[in-house]
């Protein structure tokens, strides 16, 4: 039997890893982008984002259970079985969501979308748990596949966004009001297809991700691997990063991954690793919690098109930055710190715009539109690249390092969301611009 070239096999593995990574957060990303459609149907209305934030926070019970299991019973948790289980749970939940998302249940005499909220919690639980199971599983592969995994995570935000744009979410027209005094009133256009079809799209994507992981499980060889030892030499590291798609290093076998045999506890908690984890937590707090909460406040005053451009181009910048990291990897702590500072500067500018909503500077000026869109692109790209680099560096520190990588990703995201929730939903620090109204007229 003629075997295909190793380069083709590696390329197939990269595609499978990307599709596997895509399934990690596509559920929660899809729920967020579909909110403008479902809030018009479900009885919770625009209180639904607050419900969604709380349910995602409760979903962190999954990472807590996994982390405690690794701590008190090291080596006992079958990661492959856990991943298969949560992927199957997500597929079933998304199918039920497509069927029952608009069902209403009376609770204490009030209407509530119990099926939608319950299935949302299940999907959030799966997404949160994926951070502490998918990443440690990737220890079985050479470090270059970590970067491919993050490319897939970027696609988990891009794909739902593109489909939602095709659906026509949030489109409106400003029409003359019926009062005859020259005022304009917003007229929201119907979507091109209903929410049920969108949730079936989510079901399909989760199914593809699950099948990709199943294929990856069969592609892990049983022969011993020397990848971590080989990567210890400078020449092999250089070769690995110069030709990432041609990396013929064998994967690590299932029986070679033993959490109890990782490096000693004290050996991992070095200043450099703590520094990397701190950068990782801060970057995820900004990208997954703080800035998404105020994106509409920062962008919508400049127009709906500005908002859509920021969302789409930012989501394109995410996987693109991850792809660049497959070929150019910055190992300098100072360089990573400089990127964090630069990304933080763009994040500060966007937060200032959100705080000044609905009358930010350069309103009605093309320069203002360009600045806000470019800021979202650069901010997303810098921190996406930073996360991939840190994940790759921690891969070299062992299986436990990737577990802590997932923990800090999830902890940072949670802290960022908890900081912004009261500011946005309780204290109304940020003011939303009204559609079809000159919000800044004297």
């Amino acid at each position: 039997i003629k075997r295909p070239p190793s380069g083709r096999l590696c390329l197939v593995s990269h595609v499978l890893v990307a599709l596997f990574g895509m399934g990690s957060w596509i559920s929660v990303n899809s729920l967020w982008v579909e909110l403008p459609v479902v809030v018009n149907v479900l009885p919770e209305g625009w209180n639904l984002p607050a419900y969604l934030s709380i349910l995602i926070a409760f979903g962190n019970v999954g990472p807590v259970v996994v982390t405690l299991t690794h701590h008190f019973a090291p080596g006992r948790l079958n990661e492959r079985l856990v991943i298969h289980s949560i992927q199957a749970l997500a597929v079933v939940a998304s199918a039920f969501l497509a069927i029952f998302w608009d069902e209403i249940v009376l609770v204490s005499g009030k209407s509530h979308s119990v099926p939608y909220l319950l299935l949302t919690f299940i999907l959030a639980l799966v997404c949160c748990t994926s951070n502490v199971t998918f990443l440690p599983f990737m220890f079985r592969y050479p470090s270059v596949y970590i970067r491919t995994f993050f490319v897939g995570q970027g696609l988990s935000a891009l794909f739902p966004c593109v489909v939602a744009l095709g659906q026509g979410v949030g489109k409106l027209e400003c029409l003359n009001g019926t009062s005859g005094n020259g005022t304009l009133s917003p007229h929201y256009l119907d979507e091109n297809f209903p929410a049920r079809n969108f949730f079936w799209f989510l079901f399909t994507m989760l199914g593809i991700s699950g099948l990709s992981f199943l294929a990856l499980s069969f592609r892990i060889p049983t022969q011993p691997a020397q990848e971590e030892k080989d990567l210890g030499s400078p020449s092999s590291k250089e070769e690995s990063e110069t030709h990432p798609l041609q990396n013929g290093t064998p994967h690590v076998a299932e029986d070679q991954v033993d959490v109890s045999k990782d490096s000693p506890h004290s050996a991992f908690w070095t200043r450099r690793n703590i520094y990397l984890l701190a950068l990782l937590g801060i970057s995820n707090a900004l990208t997954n919690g703080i800035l998404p909460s105020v994106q509409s406040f920062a962008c919508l005053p400049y127009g709906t098109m500005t908002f859509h451009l920021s969302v789409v181009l930012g989501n394109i910048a995410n996987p693109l930055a991850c792809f660049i990291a497959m070929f150019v990897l910055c190992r300098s702590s100072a360089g990573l710190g400089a990127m964090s500072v630069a990304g933080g500067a763009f994040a500060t500018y966007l937060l200032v715009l959100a705080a000044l909503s609905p009358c930010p500077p350069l309103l009605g000026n093309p320069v203002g539109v360009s600045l806000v869109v470019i800021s979202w692109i650069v901010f997303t790209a810098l921190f996406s690249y930073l996360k991939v680099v840190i994940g790759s560096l921690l891969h070299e520190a062992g299986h436990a390092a990737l577990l802590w990588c997932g923990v800090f990703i999830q902890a940072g995201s949670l802290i960022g969301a908890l900081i912004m929730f009261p500011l946005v939903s309780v204290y109304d620090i940020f003011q939303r611009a009204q559609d079809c109204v000159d919000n800044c007229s004297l």
Side-chain angles (χ1 to χ4, degrees):
I1 300 175
K2 184 178 180 180
R3 299 183 61 184
S6 60
R8 189 186 305 172
L9 287 173
C10 275
L11 182 59
V12 171
S13 294
H14 278 280
V15 171
L16 292 176
V17 168
L19 293 175
F20 167 53
M22 176 199 66
S24 58
W25 277 90
I26 194 171
S27 299
V28 166
N29 291 331
S30 297
L31 291 170
W32 278 116
V33 300
E34 194 66 5
L35 269 180
V37 177
V38 301
V39 295
N40 295 322
V41 178
L42 301 182
E44 289 81 7
W46 277 106
N47 289 324
L48 207 56
Y51 282 92
L52 188 55
S53 299
I54 295 299
L55 291 172
I56 293 173
F58 280 125
N60 282 280
V61 67
V64 170
V65 171
V66 172
T67 305
L68 291 177
T69 303
H70 276 301
H71 179 74
F72 291 106
R76 300 280 183 88
L77 188 68
N78 188 328
E79 284 174 348
R80 186 187 297 189
L81 180 60
V82 172
I83 294 174
H84 280 307
S85 300
I86 63 175
Q87 284 187 321
L89 181 62
V91 170
V92 173
S94 61
F96 278 104
L97 183 66
I99 298 171
F100 300 111
W101 75 273
D102 56 351
E103 295 293 325
I104 308 300
V105 177
L106 286 177
V107 180
S108 300
K110 294 184 179 181
S111 298
H112 288 283
S113 52
V114 174
Y116 178 87
L117 295 175
L118 176 61
L119 294 168
T120 293
F121 168 72
I122 294 174
L123 292 173
L125 177 68
V126 170
C127 290
C128 293
T129 308
S130 72
N131 273 342
V132 292
T133 52
F134 288 18
L135 272 174
F137 175 83
M138 292 305 300
F139 179 67
R140 294 157 174 81
Y141 286 83
S143 60
V144 67
Y145 286 93
I146 284 287
R147 305 165 213 174
T148 306
F149 176 84
F150 279 108
V151 171
Q153 278 201 333
L155 296 177
S156 74
L158 177 62
F159 286 167
C161 176
V162 171
V163 173
L165 287 177
Q167 187 183 16
V169 173
K171 286 187 176 180
L172 61 87
E173 291 179 339
C174 294
L175 303 177
N176 290 326
T178 56
S179 59
N181 57 1
T183 59
L184 298 177
S185 59
H187 173 67
Y188 296 94
L189 304 178
D190 293 334
E191 292 78 29
N192 296 325
F193 54 85
R196 177 166 282 104
N197 292 13
F198 184 89
F199 292 135
W200 281 120
F201 154 77
L202 173 60
F203 167 80
T204 303
M205 291 294 100
L206 288 171
I208 291 174
S209 179
L211 292 175
S212 298
F213 178 69
L214 186 64
L216 282 174
S217 300
F218 287 111
R219 290 177 66 83
I220 299 179
T222 56
Q223 71 265 26
Q226 300 295 328
E227 184 259 341
E228 293 302 321
K229 294 181 182 179
D230 293 341
L231 284 180
S233 63
S235 60
S236 62
K237 281 184 180 180
E238 182 179 353
E239 181 181 354
S240 167
E241 292 173 12
T242 305
H243 306 286
L245 293 179
Q246 308 302 323
N247 192 321
T249 312
H251 311 299
V252 179
E254 182 79 21
D255 56 3
Q256 291 178 288
V257 181
D258 190 346
V259 177
S260 63
K261 294 181 182 179
D262 275 346
S263 301
H265 180 80
S266 58
F268 170 70
W269 294 104
T270 61
R271 287 185 179 181
R272 176 173 169 80
N273 286 344
I274 294 174
Y275 171 71
L276 293 176
L277 289 173
L279 288 183
L280 189 65
I282 294 171
S283 65
N284 280 275
L286 289 171
T287 57
N288 297 341
I290 296 176
L291 268 299
S293 301
V294 298
Q295 186 169 21
S296 59
F297 299 101
C299 299
L300 279 177
Y302 294 96
T304 306
M305 181 58 66
T306 302
F307 176 73
H308 285 316
L309 284 175
S310 299
V311 171
V312 174
L313 296 181
N315 285 330
I316 291 175
N318 184 338
L320 183 60
C322 299
F323 184 75
I324 292 174
M326 296 181 66
F327 303 93
V328 182
L329 197 71
C330 174
R331 294 177 172 270
S332 167
S333 297
L336 296 177
M339 275 188 283
S340 300
V341 172
F346 284 100
T348 301
Y349 174 71
L350 293 169
L351 283 171
V352 170
L353 293 182
L356 295 176
S357 176
C359 299
L362 298 174
L363 189 63
N365 191 320
V367 176
V369 173
S370 301
L371 283 176
V372 69
V373 173
I374 292 173
S375 295
W376 273 107
I377 294 172
V378 177
F379 160 76
T380 304
L382 285 175
F383 281 115
S384 297
Y385 179 84
L386 184 73
K387 286 187 282 187
V388 179
V389 171
I390 293 176
S392 299
L393 297 178
L394 291 176
H395 178 280
E396 299 169 6
H399 179 277
L402 286 181
L403 174 64
W404 282 111
C405 178
V407 169
F408 271 75
I409 288 175
Q410 194 56 38
S413 304
L414 175 62
I415 292 171
L418 292 179
I419 290 174
M420 297 307 296
F421 178 76
L423 297 179
V424 174
S425 302
V426 179
Y427 298 109
D428 296 325
I429 300 297
F430 304 94
Q431 301 298 319
R432 189 181 303 274
Q434 298 182 26
D435 295 323
C436 302
V437 174
D438 185 1
N439 295 275
C440 303
S441 60
L442 297 177

